[in-house]
Structures are given as C-alpha cells and as structure tokens.
Amino acid sequence: MQKLELVGRTLKRANPKTIQDKVLVGYQGWFTCAGDGEPVDPGHHGWLHWFNAPIPSGGRPNIDLWPDVSEYSPSELYPAPGLKTADGEQAFLFSSRHPKTVRRHFHWMALHGVDGAFLQRFAGQCDMEAGNQGIRRIRDEVGDRVKEAAEAEGRVFAIMYDVSGVSPDKIQRILEQDWIHLLRDQCLLDSPNYLHEKGRPVVALWGFGFNNRNHTPDLVRAIATFFRFSTPGGVYLVAGVPGHWRTSASDADRNPEFVRVWTECFDALSPWTVGRYGNEEQADDWGERLVKADAEYLKKLEEDGGRKVDYMPVILPGGSGYNLSQGKWGWNAIKRNEGRFLWKQIYNARRAGVRTIYGAMWDEYDEGTAFMPVVSSASQLPVHPSYKFLALDADGHDLPSDWYMRILGFTAEAFHGERRVLETFPIKELQDYWATRPHYEELDNEGEQKKRTEEAGHAFRAWEVAEGGHGAIDDAPPPPYTVEEIHQQQELGQQEEVKAAQAPLGQSSGGAFDPWSRFSQDPGPAPAIPARHSSPTASPSATSYSSTLPGRSQSARPPTVDRSSYPGPSLRSQYHPEKDEIVMAPPVGPPRRRSSSHLRPATSVSVSSLADDFSRQSISTASPWLPTQTTYSPSLVVGMPLPSSPPVEVGIGPGGWHPHSHSPRPSTSGGTHSPPWHHAQAPGPDSFYNPSHVPAHLTQTIRPGALPPSPPTGSQDGMAFPGVTHYPESGLGWTGGQGSGTQGPYRPDQGNYPSQPSHVPSSRRPVGRSPR
C-alpha cells in the first residue's frame, strides 16, 4: 500500500449526523496476543482469535487469510508462536487492543473514504452473571480505542449487538444491563463521532429471527421498546435479519409475524448474505430475487402509508474458513476472483437504489472476509507442516495488499455522489487508484485565518487578565478614547509644531536661505503617531509614547502567538519605502490652470519628493476638481496633481486614492488617523488611502518658485509619511459469526462447529453466523 504524507492536510471527514449515503463496515476488534495486556483470565496464554492456543502448546490457527503487517510499527507487532516464513523469518501479528493499531485501521478507512464501522459487541461475552468479567473488560477496552480512533480520523462508529449463541431467556436481561453500562460507564454516546440519524443514535441488533434460534416476536418487540425508551432522544434501530426475512423461508424463522416486527419496530433492515452465494452468477441471482425485491417491498410499504424502513444490504469480498472449522468448510470456498465477486454485489445493490451498504468485515481474517491488507504472494506466507494459509494470489491474480480496500473506497465515492457504479469491473481505475487519491477537504483559507485571529485575540486577553488588567505591550498604544487623552495628544502635537517652527532652516550651497534643505537631510525619527491598532508585533517607536499615557504597564510582553500561517512581513504593519516605488501619474480630467512656471517633477520620484509635492499644496482645502484616476500595482501608482495644479484634497471622497481589493495596504474609510479614532480594519474595495495626519513642518508655507531637492536616498525617506503604516455468530463459522456461542464463562479456546444446513445452495456454505 502506498505510504502518504498527510501533514497539514485533512482527509475528508464522514458526517456523523446521518446514516444515509454511506459505506460502513463491521469491525470485530477481537484479536489479542500474548503480552498485549492483562489476559482474559489469570493464566490464559493471551491469544484470542489468531489461535485457540499457541501452536507449540498443541493449539491451532483460526485463520486462513494471512494479514499484511508491513505497515505496522515494531511496537504493534507480536511474534506468532510456531510460525516462520520459508526463509526462516519470524511471522508477526497485530493486537486489536493496541491504540496505535486501532488508529491505523481507522486511518485506512479515512484514506479510502470508508465512512466508519459498526463495532461488534457480543451479548454472550457481556453476561456478568456467567462470570465473563474478563472478556467484557477487553471488549470495553477495544470500544474505547475505537471511539478514540474514530474521533481522531474523522470516522463514524456505532454499536452492533450480536446475540448469537445466547439463550433466549437471557438475551433481554443481558442487553438491558450492558446498554446501560455503555451509556453510563463507557459514555460511548457522548462521542461527537457516534453515528446518528435524525438526531437519534444508531444501534444495530444482529441475530434475531433466524431459523431454529427460538426467538419470539414478542421478545424482539420488548427489546426494541427498551432501547427506544431507555436512550435519551430515542434510537435509530437496525435489525440484522436473515437473508429471507421477507418470505419467512430458508434461513428465516417460519413465523410470518416477524415480518411485521421488522417493519414496525425497526428503522432499517440489513439482511445477512455471508454464505448465501459463492460466485458472481449466484450473486446476480441473489441481487435480482432478494435485494431488488426487498427494496421494492419496503418502498411500496412506505407509499401505502406504512413506516419508512431503510435497507442496508451486506457485501463481502470472499470467504475461507478451513482452519477455523478444522476442515469442515472449504478452502478458499468463496473465491475473490480479483474483486469481481465483490463488484457484482456492489453493482446490484446500487442498481436497486440502495443508499447505505454494509461491508462484512473490515478485519475478519478468521472467516476470510477481511477488507484489510492481505499478503499479496504465497511466498510471503508462513509455512507449517500441518496448516496452510492464504494470500491474494490464490486465484491467480497479482494484486497489491490493499486491493479490496481500494474497491470499497471506489464504492464509497459512488455512494457519496462522486461517480457512478457501472457493471463493468473498473480494473484500470483501481490499478491507478492512488494517482487521484486520497481526497482531502477543501481548505477554507478565510475561515482558517479568522480562526487563527480569534485564537490570537483569546491568547492576548488571557495574558492581559494574568497581568491584572494592566496589559503591557511593546507597541504603539491604541487611539485615545477619553477626553483627557485627546487633550494630552493635542498638547503634544502643539509642542511638536512649536519646535518645528523654532528650528533654524538650512542654507543652500550658495549661502542663500534654502527652505528645502531640511528635507534633503536625515530628519531623524518621525513624530510619534497613534497606531492604527494594537498588535502583538512590537513597534520600535511605541515605548516612549506609551509611557506618556496613564495606566499603561511596562511589564513583560504577552504570550507568544503562533502566527506561522499569517501574512508575511510585507503585509504587516511596517512600510519599507526603499522596497516600494510610488509613481505620480498625471490626473485624468478637465484641463487645469497653470499657476506658476516651476518645473514638473519626474514621473517617478521617491517618497520624500512626493512629500515635497504635498507640502506645496494646501492639504486642508477641498478639491473643486474632478477625481483623479489611479491604479495600484507592485510599483505603487498614485494619481497626484501636478505641481502647478490648484490645491487638491488627498483622502476620502471622490478625489481620494483608494487601493484595489487585493492591496496589502489597509486603511479605513475615515482616514488614517482622523478623530474620532477607529481600530484598523482589513483592506476592502471601499477603503481609501488618506494620510490626513501630516506633521506641521510639511504644511508650512513655502515661498513660490523654490525648486524641489534631489530625491534623498537615506533610510529615512519613508518618514515623510510618519502616520502611514503599510501594511457471527457464535456457533463458529465463516458465515459472519461474532458471538461467544457459549453459556457460562466465556472459553475462547472451545467451540462447536455447526454442520451445514441442507437448504444452502452450495454444500460448502453454512447459514448462521458462527460464534468465536
């Protein structure tokens, strides 16, 4: 299987609010190994389902298919006792109790788009009165791992009870006690990934109504009523029914009252099909006689005023339970045939209008129905003189180990509305599967940016509270909000104006008085201007100003905020005039009056020269002229009046320059720093650039005829704009069994294997789900 790097991206998540349009699988989660934790009973050897006991101790394997464990980490693998490959390499197996392993299994679901799993819970193992505390503890443990994995991988999960092998007089008591245990003690329904339908949690009851199980319709009604009224909000009940539930024949109980039970007490039906057909032709016949007929029957029932009952057929990739049944069932009895057997079932179900399908099973290596990875070649199998094992090339096809997960993933895309299921087997698409997969969720850049901004704000507020409400930050303070602060700032501005007026003007090279010389020199730091907004980013000129305002603590900086995905430095609150060129373009409009004969500046000037042009105008005078046309590009193009033009307003209104919506230079519609004060906002198409705060030394009257200086090249050029910032089940068998099949204490190393019923079309296939 292809290994994929998923860092920084999210696989498409399954919707836990509905069971519709989903591909779900059964998850047994029943494999344990020696050394993976506390065993089921004191002194137990630790192996469940892989072996009835270790082979060197006289045990035997329970599986035919051998899992491909090449992707598991070393910490997840346990040596299989008595089994080595032909090369003498030790064979290893996984444990369903390992958190990393269960997470891996659900990650495979996510990679292939499989929506989630029904976790099998065996009623016979939950009978505390029979002394099954050890096995129920393990099942609870696996349930916790499944919940964690589903939440981590964005999959859904739900409980499916298997009542196989439990005496009818005990079933109701066991289910009622265990469901309360899952609700109150295990808190499974508290998980946000537990599957729901119309607000009700989904619960499946498998194994009622099969022939010779001695269940009664009244018993099933009573159990269904308990689940509905004991669960807050009710439940969406799925019945795992016999394949011939509608006709009360073959594998179904002969009591026709069960048909009313299924359609009156349950919300969905899932007929069991494992062992009911064994090749493509038989699968076709089953699809026509049962799947299609069942779907039409339920549809007509609803149209005639009955309850709406959903239909969820079962599909399987193949089957082999030779070692499990000790030779009673055929070796590779249901051949996979490169996936064509599975595809025929999928096509028939989709053609019948089915919206939800159930794959049996994700991890069922015992009966050979697993979708999870199987070794590709017989050369990878362990060898033993008494036992043989199965690889994917048993049918003569060279397939990758994840082949059947690919088919299920392809199916999921169809059920999600992304493609159609055609009758032709899509072998080419499956071979090229990873060229266009996995599927990720579309990135919501705007939403992610908003989320990160909110997180930054929360972090700052938490820090400010920790500082006792006197949060300190090495940045320019926010604009004044009180009358006292406004007056204080006005006084500071007046002092700056007085200092600027008293400063001696420079002399020209010829000794004559030159008022422009001061602009060709380094003017030093710009006057402190209130920041557009407070920010965790430090501002080099903020400290002195913030110290003049009362209540501003100068303690430590706030906590660091992860800004790795934030805009780069070019979009932050620092403007670098040496990196951005401002070009003055002639305005478009009616001809302007010539006011004097001094020279026009060049079409491209520095920031200081642009400031000189500003100083030759009356900034406060409103413009009587039509608006200029401007453009904005990496070289900033600003529509500016010519030096000989009449005074013109630069700012908001029809004559103001405003950037494109993608401009990195935000501003507010009220000007850069014009009271009343406003927090900075993100740039938008209606924002305008308005350097309304211009230092007093730039608005002094300059004698007419003075020539502008040569553009300075110093690092202080940008200071001409000091205020602008830029910014189954049990009876054991491969028919899908899951239950213990035992009465009294659970004994995983014991089991009786049912003989095959005569009504099955093929003598190789048993009917019921067998216990483990």
Side-chain angles (χ1 to χ4, degrees):
M1 190 187 323
Q2 179 171 334
K3 298 184 178 180
L4 301 162
E5 294 295 333
L6 305 176
V7 178
R9 305 187 70 180
T10 301
L11 292 167
K12 281 189 174 181
R13 290 168 286 193
N15 180 9
K17 296 182 179 180
T18 180
I19 196 175
Q20 307 299 332
D21 305 316
K22 280 183 169 52
V23 171
L24 302 169
V25 293
Y27 188 76
Q28 304 284 24
W30 57 18
F31 296 104
T32 68
C33 305
D36 64 358
E38 183 181 353
V40 60
D41 292 317
H44 191 271
H45 49 72
W47 292 95
L48 291 179
H49 283 274
W50 292 123
F51 309 93
N52 71 334
I55 293 178
S57 302
R60 55 175 173 75
N62 284 334
I63 64 171
D64 291 0
L65 283 181
W66 192 263
D68 177 13
V69 296
S70 60
E71 288 196 18
Y72 293 81
S73 63
S75 64
E76 300 174 71
L77 297 177
Y78 301 83
L83 291 177
K84 296 182 179 181
T85 66
D87 297 334
E89 298 287 336
Q90 174 65 51
F92 290 87
L93 295 166
F94 66 81
S95 168
S96 302
R97 302 175 70 179
H98 200 296
K100 187 182 294 184
T101 297
V102 180
R103 172 77 181 269
R104 185 180 305 280
H105 295 168
F106 275 74
H107 180 65
W108 286 337
M109 295 182 201
L111 276 177
H112 294 82
V114 176
D115 294 283
F118 278 103
L119 173 62
Q120 307 302 300
R121 192 165 180 90
F122 313 109
Q125 299 176 357
C126 300
D127 187 1
M128 296 297 95
E129 295 183 7
N132 287 333
Q133 286 80 4
I135 188 63
R136 195 183 80 162
R137 169 178 47 80
I138 292 179
R139 297 310 302 173
D140 286 349
E141 180 183 329
V142 172
D144 290 339
R145 304 291 84 78
V146 166
K147 179 176 69 172
E148 295 163 359
E151 292 173 355
E153 296 296 338
R155 301 301 95 190
V156 303
F157 74 101
I159 292 296
M160 177 179 282
Y161 277 107
D162 184 341
V163 301
S164 301
V166 180
S167 174
D169 62 339
K170 297 180 180 180
I171 291 177
Q172 186 170 355
R173 171 185 58 81
I174 293 173
L175 292 179
E176 290 179 358
Q177 292 177 351
D178 191 68
W179 181 242
I180 296 301
H181 167 65
L182 293 183
L183 280 177
R184 304 288 181 260
D185 303 329
Q186 298 303 109
C187 306
L188 283 187
L189 296 192
D190 293 355
S191 171
N193 289 69
Y194 193 92
L195 181 61
H196 285 68
E197 176 63 22
K198 296 181 179 178
R200 295 175 293 162
V202 175
V203 180
L205 304 176
W206 191 96
F208 286 112
F210 283 82
N211 195 30
N212 297 324
R213 298 290 179 92
N214 299 319
H215 302 145
T216 66
D218 289 341
L219 172 65
V220 179
R221 288 182 186 274
I223 292 174
T225 300
F226 163 77
F227 276 93
R228 291 195 186 279
F229 289 96
S230 65
T231 308
V235 293
Y236 178 93
L237 277 178
V238 179
V241 297
H244 297 82
W245 65 274
R246 181 174 42 83
T247 58
S248 302
S250 188
D251 58 347
D253 193 291
R254 299 303 185 265
N255 188 342
E257 181 64 18
F258 271 109
V259 178
R260 293 186 57 190
V261 172
W262 305 139
T263 58
E264 293 175 0
C265 299
F266 289 85
D267 302 291
L269 303 181
S270 182
W272 189 246
T273 60
V274 177
R276 293 352 183 223
Y277 44 81
N279 55 47
E280 289 92 310
E281 291 74 20
Q282 294 175 4
D284 251 347
D285 178 69
W286 183 277
E288 185 67 27
R289 290 190 304 106
L290 290 117
V291 175
K292 181 181 178 181
D294 286 351
E296 291 175 348
Y297 174 83
L298 294 176
K299 181 180 180 181
K300 187 176 187 305
L301 185 69
E302 181 185 5
E303 292 173 348
D304 293 343
R307 294 179 66 251
K308 181 182 186 300
V309 180
D310 294 323
Y311 189 63
M312 186 174 68
V314 176
I315 59 173
L316 66 151
S320 181
Y322 185 85
N323 288 329
L324 178 66
S325 65
Q326 301 181 65
K328 295 182 176 67
W329 301 338
W331 172 258
N332 195 21
I334 305 178
K335 292 180 170 55
R336 297 191 172 211
N337 193 19
E338 198 180 16
R340 299 175 190 274
F341 171 72
L342 173 61
W343 187 254
K344 181 65 69 174
Q345 303 167 70
I346 295 168
Y347 172 73
N348 289 335
R350 195 61 174 165
R351 184 178 58 173
V354 169
R355 294 185 60 185
T356 306
I357 205 165
Y358 178 50
M361 301 265 180
W362 191 245
D363 60 339
E364 174 64 276
Y365 290 101
D366 308 54
E367 299 175 358
T369 63
F371 288 93
M372 287 201 328
V374 176
V375 294
S376 298
S377 170
S379 63
Q380 300 171 271
L381 294 171
V383 294
H384 192 276
S386 302
Y387 306 106
K388 57 183 179 179
F389 301 96
L390 198 64
L392 290 184
D393 63 354
D395 298 337
H397 301 285
D398 183 14
L399 304 173
S401 64
D402 67 337
W403 186 253
Y404 291 91
M405 294 195 298
R406 294 187 188 189
I407 297 176
L408 211 54
F410 199 90
T411 305
E413 293 173 6
F415 277 78
H416 299 161
E418 300 171 9
R419 67 169 60 252
R420 295 178 58 191
V421 172
L422 303 177
E423 187 171 8
T424 304
F425 183 57
I427 186 168
K428 178 60 177 176
E429 290 89 339
L430 292 171
Q431 290 171 343
D432 298 337
Y433 188 82
W434 292 115
T436 57
R437 297 168 183 84
H439 296 315
Y440 298 97
E441 292 188 346
E442 294 182 3
L443 297 178
D444 182 6
N445 292 327
E446 182 177 351
E448 185 67 18
Q449 182 70 15
K450 181 179 179 181
K451 177 182 177 182
R452 290 179 177 271
T453 301
E454 291 175 352
E455 291 175 352
H458 292 325
F460 178 79
R461 283 190 290 274
W463 165 82
E464 194 169 36
V465 170
E467 291 291 322
H470 300 289
I473 189 167
D474 293 330
D475 199 357
Y481 289 93
T482 65
V483 176
E484 291 78 5
E485 292 184 15
I486 292 175
H487 289 327
Q488 187 177 30
Q489 183 178 346
Q490 290 175 346
E491 292 177 359
L492 290 174
Q494 292 174 359
Q495 293 175 8
E496 292 293 338
E497 291 178 2
V498 171
K499 291 179 181 179
Q502 294 176 351
L505 296 177
Q507 301 292 323
S508 65
S509 59
F513 178 80
D514 185 5
W516 295 97
S517 60
R518 63 178 299 178
F519 297 106
S520 61
Q521 302 171 1
D522 186 347
I529 298 301
R532 294 173 63 86
H533 57 86
S534 58
S535 165
T537 305
S539 172
S541 62
T543 305
S544 61
Y545 185 84
S546 62
S547 64
T548 65
L549 294 180
R552 300 289 298 183
S553 168
Q554 298 299 318
S555 60
R557 294 172 61 84
T560 303
V561 178
D562 182 7
R563 303 174 65 90
S564 59
S565 66
Y566 277 49
S570 63
L571 301 184
R572 297 180 185 172
S573 57
Q574 291 293 330
Y575 175 53
H576 304 284
E578 68 275 10
K579 296 181 181 180
D580 296 279
E581 182 183 20
I582 296 181
V583 180
M584 294 191 297
V588 178
R592 299 174 182 267
R593 299 193 308 267
R594 297 267 186 181
S595 59
S596 62
S597 59
H598 52 70
L599 300 176
R600 294 176 180 268
T603 57
S604 177
V605 297
S606 68
V607 174
S608 293
S609 296
L610 180 58
D612 299 340
D613 191 64
F614 276 166
S615 69
R616 292 196 291 274
Q617 304 173 46
S618 177
I619 302 300
S620 61
T621 303
S623 172
W625 306 99
L626 294 177
T628 61
Q629 292 184 356
T630 64
T631 58
Y632 179 70
S633 67
S635 294
L636 302 177
V637 180
V638 182
M640 295 297 300
L642 298 175
S644 59
S645 304
V648 64
E649 172 74 15
V650 179
I652 63 170
W657 175 87
H658 62 90
H660 290 293
S661 59
H662 62 269
S663 169
R665 299 174 55 179
S667 58
T668 60
S669 59
T672 307
H673 292 298
S674 301
W677 304 92
H678 299 286
H679 288 296
Q681 300 178 0
D686 297 323
S687 298
F688 292 90
Y689 173 66
N690 182 18
S692 59
H693 185 96
V694 179
H697 64 272
L698 295 184
T699 60
Q700 300 178 47
T701 302
I702 306 300
R703 62 185 178 86
L707 298 177
S710 300
T713 59
S715 61
Q716 298 297 326
D717 290 354
M719 294 305 175
F721 296 103
V724 179
T725 51
H726 292 270
Y727 307 48
E729 91 187 86
S730 257
L732 296 173
W734 51 261
T735 54
Q738 307 167 39
S740 66
T742 60
Q743 302 302 316
Y746 173 71
R747 292 293 179 263
D749 54 346
Q750 299 177 6
N752 51 1
Y753 301 90
S755 59
Q756 302 181 45
S758 58
H759 62 267
V760 179
S762 169
S763 61
R764 300 174 301 177
R765 296 185 298 282
V767 173
R769 284 165 51 143
S770 58
R772 297 293 182 266

mmCIF file of all heavy atoms in Angstrom, residues 376-392:
data_model
loop_
_atom_site.group_PDB
_atom_site.id
_atom_site.type_symbol
_atom_site.label_atom_id
_atom_site.label_comp_id
_atom_site.label_asym_id
_atom_site.label_seq_id
_atom_site.Cartn_x
_atom_site.Cartn_y
_atom_site.Cartn_z
ATOM 1 N N SER A 376 0.242 -10.298 -0.558
ATOM 2 C CA SER A 376 -0.033 -10.436 -1.991
ATOM 3 C C SER A 376 0.351 -11.798 -2.545
ATOM 4 O O SER A 376 -0.324 -12.328 -3.435
ATOM 5 C CB SER A 376 0.708 -9.344 -2.764
ATOM 6 O OG SER A 376 0.265 -8.067 -2.372
ATOM 7 N N SER A 377 1.429 -12.364 -2.042
ATOM 8 C CA SER A 377 2.003 -13.562 -2.663
ATOM 9 C C SER A 377 2.149 -14.698 -1.657
ATOM 10 O O SER A 377 2.392 -14.471 -0.458
ATOM 11 C CB SER A 377 3.360 -13.224 -3.262
ATOM 12 O OG SER A 377 4.049 -14.385 -3.658
ATOM 13 N N ALA A 378 2.032 -15.912 -2.159
ATOM 14 C CA ALA A 378 2.202 -17.085 -1.296
ATOM 15 C C ALA A 378 3.610 -17.162 -0.726
ATOM 16 O O ALA A 378 3.835 -17.778 0.328
ATOM 17 C CB ALA A 378 1.881 -18.352 -2.084
ATOM 18 N N SER A 379 4.570 -16.519 -1.389
ATOM 19 C CA SER A 379 5.947 -16.531 -0.881
ATOM 20 C C SER A 379 6.083 -15.756 0.426
ATOM 21 O O SER A 379 7.083 -15.907 1.136
ATOM 22 C CB SER A 379 6.884 -15.940 -1.929
ATOM 23 O OG SER A 379 6.561 -14.573 -2.187
ATOM 24 N N GLN A 380 5.097 -14.940 0.753
ATOM 25 C CA GLN A 380 5.142 -14.158 1.986
ATOM 26 C C GLN A 380 4.457 -14.852 3.152
ATOM 27 O O GLN A 380 4.470 -14.340 4.271
ATOM 28 C CB GLN A 380 4.465 -12.802 1.759
ATOM 29 C CG GLN A 380 5.094 -11.957 0.672
ATOM 30 C CD GLN A 380 4.245 -10.728 0.354
ATOM 31 O OE1 GLN A 380 3.364 -10.767 -0.499
ATOM 32 N NE2 GLN A 380 4.523 -9.638 1.038
ATOM 33 N N LEU A 381 3.888 -16.017 2.904
ATOM 34 C CA LEU A 381 3.125 -16.719 3.938
ATOM 35 C C LEU A 381 4.034 -17.514 4.872
ATOM 36 O O LEU A 381 5.106 -17.993 4.466
ATOM 37 C CB LEU A 381 2.139 -17.683 3.277
ATOM 38 C CG LEU A 381 1.010 -17.058 2.457
ATOM 39 C CD1 LEU A 381 0.264 -18.145 1.694
ATOM 40 C CD2 LEU A 381 0.064 -16.290 3.369
ATOM 41 N N PRO A 382 3.597 -17.666 6.125
ATOM 42 C CA PRO A 382 4.317 -18.601 6.993
ATOM 43 C C PRO A 382 4.046 -20.041 6.538
ATOM 44 O O PRO A 382 3.014 -20.322 5.907
ATOM 45 C CB PRO A 382 3.712 -18.332 8.376
ATOM 46 C CG PRO A 382 2.365 -17.759 8.107
ATOM 47 C CD PRO A 382 2.483 -16.993 6.822
ATOM 48 N N VAL A 383 4.970 -20.908 6.833
ATOM 49 C CA VAL A 383 4.839 -22.309 6.427
ATOM 50 C C VAL A 383 4.794 -23.185 7.674
ATOM 51 O O VAL A 383 5.450 -22.914 8.683
ATOM 52 C CB VAL A 383 5.997 -22.737 5.503
ATOM 53 C CG1 VAL A 383 5.919 -21.973 4.185
ATOM 54 C CG2 VAL A 383 7.341 -22.496 6.171
ATOM 55 N N HIS A 384 3.962 -24.221 7.582
ATOM 56 C CA HIS A 384 3.851 -25.169 8.693
ATOM 57 C C HIS A 384 3.418 -26.512 8.113
ATOM 58 O O HIS A 384 2.596 -26.558 7.189
ATOM 59 C CB HIS A 384 2.833 -24.672 9.721
ATOM 60 C CG HIS A 384 2.879 -25.424 11.013
ATOM 61 N ND1 HIS A 384 2.196 -26.623 11.197
ATOM 62 C CD2 HIS A 384 3.530 -25.178 12.184
ATOM 63 C CE1 HIS A 384 2.415 -27.060 12.430
ATOM 64 N NE2 HIS A 384 3.225 -26.199 13.042
ATOM 65 N N PRO A 385 3.945 -27.597 8.616
ATOM 66 C CA PRO A 385 3.598 -28.909 8.034
ATOM 67 C C PRO A 385 2.130 -29.298 8.222
ATOM 68 O O PRO A 385 1.601 -30.100 7.445
ATOM 69 C CB PRO A 385 4.522 -29.885 8.786
ATOM 70 C CG PRO A 385 4.908 -29.168 10.042
ATOM 71 C CD PRO A 385 4.969 -27.720 9.672
ATOM 72 N N SER A 386 1.444 -28.697 9.201
ATOM 73 C CA SER A 386 0.066 -29.105 9.479
ATOM 74 C C SER A 386 -0.980 -28.089 9.050
ATOM 75 O O SER A 386 -2.169 -28.429 8.987
ATOM 76 C CB SER A 386 -0.111 -29.377 10.981
ATOM 77 O OG SER A 386 0.772 -30.364 11.435
ATOM 78 N N TYR A 387 -0.555 -26.839 8.769
ATOM 79 C CA TYR A 387 -1.525 -25.780 8.482
ATOM 80 C C TYR A 387 -1.068 -24.981 7.265
ATOM 81 O O TYR A 387 0.129 -24.782 7.045
ATOM 82 C CB TYR A 387 -1.682 -24.849 9.683
ATOM 83 C CG TYR A 387 -2.018 -25.599 10.956
ATOM 84 C CD1 TYR A 387 -1.056 -25.780 11.942
ATOM 85 C CD2 TYR A 387 -3.286 -26.134 11.155
ATOM 86 C CE1 TYR A 387 -1.346 -26.467 13.113
ATOM 87 C CE2 TYR A 387 -3.593 -26.832 12.317
ATOM 88 C CZ TYR A 387 -2.624 -26.993 13.298
ATOM 89 O OH TYR A 387 -2.910 -27.694 14.437
ATOM 90 N N LYS A 388 -2.011 -24.562 6.483
ATOM 91 C CA LYS A 388 -1.704 -23.733 5.328
ATOM 92 C C LYS A 388 -2.486 -22.429 5.419
ATOM 93 O O LYS A 388 -3.521 -22.340 6.091
ATOM 94 C CB LYS A 388 -2.053 -24.464 4.023
ATOM 95 C CG LYS A 388 -3.505 -24.918 3.916
ATOM 96 C CD LYS A 388 -3.744 -25.689 2.625
ATOM 97 C CE LYS A 388 -5.187 -26.173 2.521
ATOM 98 N NZ LYS A 388 -5.435 -26.918 1.240
ATOM 99 N N PHE A 389 -1.971 -21.424 4.703
ATOM 100 C CA PHE A 389 -2.556 -20.085 4.768
ATOM 101 C C PHE A 389 -2.754 -19.543 3.358
ATOM 102 O O PHE A 389 -2.220 -20.069 2.380
ATOM 103 C CB PHE A 389 -1.676 -19.159 5.610
ATOM 104 C CG PHE A 389 -1.474 -19.653 7.015
ATOM 105 C CD1 PHE A 389 -0.336 -20.384 7.368
ATOM 106 C CD2 PHE A 389 -2.428 -19.409 7.990
ATOM 107 C CE1 PHE A 389 -0.154 -20.853 8.660
ATOM 108 C CE2 PHE A 389 -2.261 -19.879 9.286
ATOM 109 C CZ PHE A 389 -1.119 -20.606 9.611
ATOM 110 N N LEU A 390 -3.495 -18.437 3.285
ATOM 111 C CA LEU A 390 -3.997 -17.942 2.008
ATOM 112 C C LEU A 390 -3.465 -16.544 1.726
ATOM 113 O O LEU A 390 -3.466 -15.677 2.607
ATOM 114 C CB LEU A 390 -5.529 -17.913 2.056
ATOM 115 C CG LEU A 390 -6.299 -17.835 0.746
ATOM 116 C CD1 LEU A 390 -6.050 -19.082 -0.104
ATOM 117 C CD2 LEU A 390 -7.796 -17.701 1.053
ATOM 118 N N ALA A 391 -3.020 -16.316 0.485
ATOM 119 C CA ALA A 391 -2.602 -14.990 0.018
ATOM 120 C C ALA A 391 -3.528 -14.553 -1.117
ATOM 121 O O ALA A 391 -4.348 -15.331 -1.615
ATOM 122 C CB ALA A 391 -1.153 -15.020 -0.458
ATOM 123 N N LEU A 392 -3.388 -13.298 -1.555
ATOM 124 C CA LEU A 392 -4.277 -12.768 -2.588
ATOM 125 C C LEU A 392 -4.049 -13.391 -3.961
ATOM 126 O O LEU A 392 -4.909 -13.312 -4.830
ATOM 127 C CB LEU A 392 -4.116 -11.242 -2.691
ATOM 128 C CG LEU A 392 -4.644 -10.426 -1.508
ATOM 129 C CD1 LEU A 392 -4.499 -8.927 -1.800
ATOM 130 C CD2 LEU A 392 -6.104 -10.754 -1.209
#
